[in-house]
Amino acid sequence: MTSPARPRLAGVDAETFQTLKGTVKRYVRERLVPLETEVEANDEVPAAVVKELKDLGLFGITIPAEYGGIGLSASQEVDLAVELGWTCPAFRGVFGTTIGIGSMGILIDGTEEQKQAFLPRLAAGELVSSFCLTEPGSGSDAASLQTSARKQGDHYVLNGTKRFITNARRANLLTVMARTDPGIKGAGGISAFLVDADSPGISFGKKDAKMGQRGTVTSDVIFEDVKVPASRIIGLKPGQGFKTAMKVLDRGRLHIGAVCVGTARRLIHEAMTYSGERKQFGAPIGSFQLVQAMLADSWTECYAAEAMLRDAAARFDQGQAIVIEAAAVKMYASEMVGRVADRAVQIFGGAGYMAAYPIERIYRDVRLVRIYEGTTQIQQLVIAREMRKGME
Ligand code: COS
């Protein structure tokens, strides 16, 4: 079901990685966790933290060293993302689109000139990037997108609206999927453009108010007669943009799976601590078997997701195509963390419903992961499609 797709990805040496991971783990737990209440209250990540994240090199973790990044393998990237999943999503969100969906299109399908032009600045955190696929009328059915790119001489003119775009208001560089061939209704008519966010004709909707994930920033992006040079089509190949987007999402789905594992670990940690302290019927509630069953189920499901994640990332590093594995990891890990969050609320009881404890926030935050970067139902379709290919 899998075939060679890319060169192998070696990543950095084990010692360098362990040092980086240790630093990130300490930073998350000692610096970021104490800021969670502030981020929730202000709906904003402090500017000092944004600078620290840059200084740590986190904007460049997925970009190869030859383009100025750290160049982690997928296995190392997910390992780090598990650590980042321990705290609220707003912190990872600051650089999440830059290391993932916002830059991977250039890395996967860009020309050498495009890589040289953008990747070093993205890795340094000088450029923040964002991925503009979703539209008001096209979410799961991404191939039906309507944003148009009309060719005029040596440039294109973009018109349309993108919706729920993470970090658009913070971005300097937008990867925009637009229809260059109106005669082709589906995927084949779409191209991926690298667009400067300050181009004349681009405006941004107001920051979306959301159920959770406070401190992350999403908004509409509106394109009105935006001129983009033809040289800004990723790979200089019109009609390939949908495939580029799908490849980008494959790796992105591994990353999301890793964040889910990290958040599930945090939930289990909180539930274990609370169930050891909270007494009812004269004993800590963690001594009761019905509570233990919830904890055991959560640990087991988290372990299963982690095993899938590490297997899929290792396959990616070996150069295999991981379309089916990435969809399975994203689906299982996001559903898993939803169940773990629900059990954590149950274990905390009334306190789990109160904003004074972190569980209530995490419960709301994780609801999104079953939806973004492809809903569970889309992952099911992808898995079934790939399974059927195997039968042919
Ligand atoms: N890697 C490379 N190519 C891929 C691919 C992948 N992972 N997935 C699809 N393709 C290619 C297909 O091989 C096909 O190529 P050909 O036309 O040469 O045969 C082309 O892309 C179209 O694929 P398909 O026919 O499967 O497209 P569909 O319109 O049926 O849509 C789904 C497929 C539904 C899976 C896709 O639209 C999707 O992933 N939707 C969810 C989008 C999403 O995740 N949005 C979240 C917001 S972005 S953060």
Side-chain angles (χ1 to χ4, degrees):
M1 231 174 285
T2 48
S3 58
R6 296 168 311 278
R8 286 167 182 269
L9 210 53
V12 295
D13 67 85
E15 199 186 328
T16 306
F17 180 67
Q18 285 311 322
T19 307
L20 175 66
K21 185 177 159 184
T23 305
V24 169
K25 184 172 183 167
R26 270 194 311 281
Y27 180 73
V28 164
R29 293 177 192 220
E30 292 168 17
R31 170 75 170 138
L32 300 184
V33 169
L35 291 172
E36 288 174 353
T37 315
E38 184 185 323
V39 169
E40 187 67 12
N42 300 343
D43 197 9
E44 201 169 57
V45 175
V49 170
V50 176
K51 181 172 182 316
E52 288 159 15
L53 294 167
K54 276 184 196 169
D55 292 345
L56 280 167
L58 293 177
F59 281 73
I61 55 175
T62 50
I63 294 176
E66 61 195 288
Y67 301 112
I70 296 180
L72 299 184
S73 65
S75 300
Q76 291 168 336
E77 179 200 343
V78 298
D79 214 349
L80 214 60
V82 168
E83 295 304 331
L84 293 161
W86 185 271
T87 187
C88 66
F91 299 117
R92 190 197 62 87
V94 170
F95 58 93
T97 51
T98 299
I99 63 167
I101 52 181
S103 68
M104 285 297 112
I106 307 172
L107 189 63
I108 295 169
D109 281 340
T111 63
E112 188 53 36
E113 203 179 345
Q114 289 170 340
K115 290 178 191 178
Q116 296 286 355
F118 296 108
L119 294 179
R121 291 159 70 206
L122 287 162
E126 280 168 38
L127 287 182
V128 169
S129 65
S130 206
F131 184 74
C132 302
L133 177 66
T134 301
E135 299 182 355
S138 112
S140 289
D141 184 8
S144 70
L145 65 83
Q146 292 297 318
T147 294
S148 62
R150 209 167 9 91
K151 188 137 200 278
Q152 270 184 6
D154 59 356
H155 62 265
Y156 285 82
V157 179
L158 270 59
N159 279 285
T161 299
K162 297 290 179 178
R163 181 139 293 173
F164 309 144
I165 305 303
T166 305
N167 279 342
R169 294 170 61 101
R170 290 171 171 155
N172 323 86
L173 183 68
L174 308 170
T175 299
V176 184
M177 268 51 69
R179 192 168 298 284
T180 40
D181 189 341
I184 304 178
K185 292 279 169 259
I190 296 169
S191 304
F193 289 87
L194 297 166
V195 182
D196 296 326
D198 60 359
S199 304
I202 296 184
S203 57
F204 300 94
K206 65 178 177 7
K207 185 171 153 183
D208 297 321
K210 307 188 292 299
M211 174 192 283
Q213 304 240 346
R214 288 175 66 80
T216 62
V217 186
T218 67
S219 68
D220 279 5
V221 187
I222 301 120
F223 298 84
E224 287 170 305
D225 292 331
V226 179
K227 274 178 80 170
V228 183
S231 61
R232 291 297 194 91
I233 291 184
I234 292 184
L236 303 180
K237 288 187 196 141
Q240 294 299 307
F242 184 80
K243 288 185 189 174
T244 298
M246 291 298 115
K247 288 186 249 178
V248 164
L249 288 172
D250 284 340
R251 184 158 176 181
R253 286 167 183 166
L254 283 189
H255 187 96
I256 299 300
V259 172
C260 293
V261 168
T263 308
R265 282 190 185 173
R266 169 76 182 277
L267 285 159
I268 294 165
H269 166 79
E270 297 288 346
M272 283 296 291
T273 307
Y274 188 78
S275 63
E277 290 165 357
R278 168 76 173 163
K279 287 191 176 156
Q280 286 294 279
F281 305 104
I285 59 170
S287 66
F288 301 130
Q289 289 179 339
L290 294 179
V291 172
Q292 289 174 6
M294 288 191 272
L295 290 165
D297 285 352
S298 292
W299 189 92
T300 305
E301 291 180 18
C302 181
Y303 177 57
E306 187 173 346
M308 290 169 70
L309 173 71
R310 294 197 187 285
D311 175 70
R315 287 172 188 269
F316 186 95
D317 289 338
Q318 286 160 14
Q320 294 181 19
I322 53 145
V323 178
I324 190 167
E325 291 87 352
V329 165
K330 202 284 184 174
M331 175 173 81
Y332 186 80
S334 61
E335 293 285 335
M336 176 281 293
V337 76
R339 291 192 295 273
V340 171
D342 191 67
R343 289 186 201 111
V345 172
Q346 200 67 15
I347 291 167
F348 271 70
Y353 202 70
M354 298 298 150
Y357 296 83
I359 301 302
E360 179 268 346
R361 169 188 65 75
I362 301 175
Y363 181 81
R364 284 183 290 106
D365 285 350
V366 300
R367 187 61 187 84
L368 182 63
V369 291
R370 288 151 63 188
I371 299 170
Y372 74 178
E373 298 206 20
T375 60
T376 288
Q377 289 67 33
I378 287 295
Q379 310 310 328
Q380 288 172 319
L381 293 182
V382 171
I383 294 163
R385 182 191 71 196
E386 296 300 306
M387 288 169 72
R388 288 171 62 84
K389 275 186 197 163
M391 286 170 62
E392 282 158 12

